[in-house]
Amino acid sequence: MIDVSGFGRLDNSRQLNLRAVLGASVRAAFRAAGVAWFRLAVEDRGDGMIVLVPARVSKLDLLGRVIPALAAAVRAYNATAGTAARIRLRVSLHAGEVLRDAAGWVGADVNLACRLVNGEPAYQWLRADDEADVVLVVSDLIYQGVVRHGYRQVDPDRFTPVRVLAKEVDVTAWLRTA
């Protein structure tokens, strides 16, 4: 799940511009990781997107290649955009089962990914660090199964545990600046 922070405060032309920047940045990040866009299920959320990645794509590739490439693309854009056009993202990473109907994707795991990205800890993290362009929040499942083991370039010491309490969710998650 990816969400543009402060999107609703922007005028229509800036919203349109940031949607284009977001789409190009996310596509470039997956391309840099060798994940073909057509293999993904992408659902537009207006001020963000849900990107469903096939299970055969390693979570290490998401954490170690896609997220850093996305952060680099956002930083590159922000370096020339100016304060008013700056983009800041909240990104969540979770794994699980989903169902699809004619309107899109549903399931408890989709709900959890949405709650993580929209939880107060991710907002607080961005408010506390004006320099952060992308904040990553991973579920405890991802942290325990992948992050804590320190595989490849994924450093567990960069993650901070937080409690996400929103609607029907009361979980531990893990945050870091990407």
Side-chain angles (χ1 to χ4, degrees), residues 62-98:
L62 298 175
L63 288 164
R65 296 173 73 195
V66 174
I67 299 299
L70 176 60
V74 170
R75 275 192 302 277
Y77 166 79
N78 284 343
T80 62
T83 305
R86 183 176 180 208
I87 187 171
R88 299 180 84 200
L89 301 179
R90 297 182 321 281
V91 177
S92 69
L93 181 59
H94 179 55
E97 302 304 316
V98 297

Side-chain angles (χ1 to χ4, degrees), residues 156-173:
D157 293 334
R158 291 190 58 209
F159 288 81
T160 300
V162 295
R163 181 178 179 199
V164 176
L165 182 60
K167 296 187 178 179
E168 67 285 341
V169 170
D170 184 358
V171 297
T172 297

Side-chain angles (χ1 to χ4, degrees), residues 26-48:
V26 172
R27 284 177 180 266
F30 278 99
R31 188 171 39 255
V35 179
W37 189 255
F38 74 89
R39 299 217 182 272
L40 306 172
V42 181
E43 186 174 301
D44 186 295
R45 304 296 273 184
D47 62 346

Side-chain angles (χ1 to χ4, degrees), residues 101-169:
D101 66 10
W105 298 92
V106 298
D109 292 306
V110 173
N111 294 344
L112 179 57
C114 292
R115 301 298 180 256
L116 294 177
V117 86
N118 288 314
E120 188 58 29
Y123 284 99
Q124 289 174 347
W125 194 275
L126 281 179
R127 281 193 299 267
D129 185 355
D130 286 339
E131 299 298 314
D133 294 314
V134 178
V135 63
L136 171 65
V137 55
V138 301
S139 66
D140 196 52
L141 176 82
I142 297 295
Y143 184 86
Q144 298 302 332
V146 182
V147 174
R148 78 177 179 96
H149 299 288
Y151 297 122
R152 292 191 216 155
Q153 64 275 36
V154 178
D155 181 1
D157 293 334
R158 291 190 58 209
F159 288 81
T160 300
V162 295
R163 181 178 179 199
V164 176
L165 182 60
K167 296 187 178 179
E168 67 285 341
V169 170

Side-chain angles (χ1 to χ4, degrees), residues 4-20 46-47 77 83-86:
V4 176
S5 185
F7 191 82
R9 291 189 299 267
L10 302 173
D11 65 40
N12 291 347
S13 62
R14 286 193 182 125
Q15 287 183 10
L16 188 62
N17 180 58
L18 288 190
R19 282 173 49 89
D47 62 346
Y77 166 79
T83 305
R86 183 176 180 208

